Amino acid sequence: MIRAIALVDLDDTLFQTLRKCPDDVPLDRLTPLGFAKDGSPLSYATPRQMNLLEWLSKTTHLVPVTARSLEALRRASIPFRAAVCAHGGVILDEAGTIDLDWQAIMETKARLCSSTLTAMRDAVHAEAAARGIPINVRVLGEGGLPLYTIAKHADADADALFSVVDAAVPDVPAGWTDHRNGNNVALMPPHLGKRHAVAHILPSLRRRFPDVPVIGIGDSTTDAPFMGLCDFAMMPTASQLAGTIFDER
């Protein structure tokens, strides 16, 4: 019996890279849930996260809401049909197929931002090259549709990454989001975001399950807007979002 609708972020919420796993959990107690293209494990869940996932799978209508690309989402061992992925750029319907209405909305808006995304990519690349800092930067998209610019330091040096991005893109355009979490910087246009996609799917979910609560679960500041559309919100206490709320963190 469905007790709730759970809109759940994945990375750093239900699992994380080995580097981010708690020191007090031995490797043999971790469960690989995210995998590379060659099938090798990349992300792991602790026993507590596995129990949470099992509980959500059994008692809720579980919908992943993730920054992962569609391809990367399908390489995660999470039970789902409907989903939000690519920071809200793609929605899967209940049949597990792309929501064409949402795709049309994204196509109309994304084309207008393509040149800005490319310019940001080129600026970060040029700044990193001038400093000799190994940064991988590219425009990510789905189905040929440009969605956002992402930059990562090859050796996970977040301070060096942020320094380069600050110099290359000192100010994003009005309405854009400069999201930073760990060794990631995502520069996103105003139309892109998990909140927009959740707002699109939530009315039909509430019609389908009119009396159950909607729980939003996430770890980062970019999860907060979609979590705010839900009846209840939940986050890992060792997370970016928790760090903005709890004084002791």
Side-chain angles (χ1 to χ4, degrees), residues 5 61 81-82 94 202-211:
I5 298 166
H61 180 73
R81 291 191 302 276
E94 291 298 320
L202 199 51
S204 62
L205 287 171
R206 288 194 183 277
R207 287 193 297 270
R208 183 178 175 188
F209 305 104
D211 298 322

Side-chain angles (χ1 to χ4, degrees), residues 2-246:
I2 299 300
R3 295 291 187 181
I5 298 166
L7 306 179
V8 188
D9 173 60
L10 299 182
D11 292 272
D12 298 331
T13 298
L14 290 183
F15 50 70
Q16 55 281 312
T17 61
L18 193 60
R19 180 176 59 86
K20 294 183 179 180
C21 287
D23 293 335
D24 60 348
V25 181
L27 182 59
D28 61 2
R29 299 203 66 212
L30 297 174
T31 302
L33 290 182
F35 300 88
K37 293 179 181 180
D38 63 5
S40 59
L42 289 177
S43 302
Y44 299 81
T46 66
R48 291 176 183 175
Q49 287 173 313
M50 286 301 298
N51 278 312
L52 173 62
L53 176 58
E54 182 179 3
W55 173 67
L56 291 171
S57 301
K58 289 182 177 179
T59 63
T60 75
H61 180 73
L62 177 61
V63 180
V65 181
T66 178
R68 286 182 166 234
S69 67
L70 180 54
E71 179 190 21
L73 172 61
R74 287 172 170 160
R75 287 190 268 109
S77 295
I78 301 293
F80 73 92
R81 291 191 302 276
V84 170
C85 55
H87 276 297
V90 176
I91 293 175
L92 297 184
D93 61 22
E94 291 298 320
T97 58
I98 292 175
D99 183 323
L100 296 180
D101 290 338
W102 186 249
Q103 183 180 33
I105 293 171
M106 288 293 102
E107 285 178 351
T108 299
K109 295 181 177 181
R111 299 300 180 193
L112 300 175
C113 300
S114 178
S115 60
T116 303
L117 293 172
T118 301
M120 290 177 169
R121 179 201 64 193
D122 293 347
V124 173
H125 178 77
E127 183 69 23
R131 298 191 188 189
I133 297 177
I135 289 178
N136 302 313
V137 58
R138 53 184 173 150
V139 176
L140 287 188
E142 290 285 346
L145 189 68
L147 293 175
Y148 62 101
T149 297
I150 188 168
K152 298 184 179 185
H153 193 285
D155 300 319
D157 185 338
D159 290 337
L161 170 65
F162 297 165
S163 176
V164 167
V165 174
D166 286 341
V169 189
D171 295 295
V172 296
W176 284 59
T177 298
D178 178 340
H179 173 59
R180 305 181 182 199
N181 194 3
N183 185 42
N184 291 279
V185 176
L187 305 174
M188 300 184 290
H191 64 270
L192 188 68
K194 295 178 181 180
R195 185 186 191 281
H196 301 312
V198 167
H200 181 78
I201 67 173
L202 199 51
S204 62
L205 287 171
R206 288 194 183 277
R207 287 193 297 270
R208 183 178 175 188
F209 305 104
D211 298 322
V212 305
V214 180
I215 305 171
I217 307 176
D219 75 287
S220 78
T221 54
T222 54
D223 292 323
F226 93 75
M227 293 163 67
L229 298 177
C230 304
D231 299 307
F232 298 90
M234 177 178 169
M235 64 192 144
T237 52
S239 67
Q240 182 189 53
L241 184 55
T244 67
I245 296 173
F246 301 135

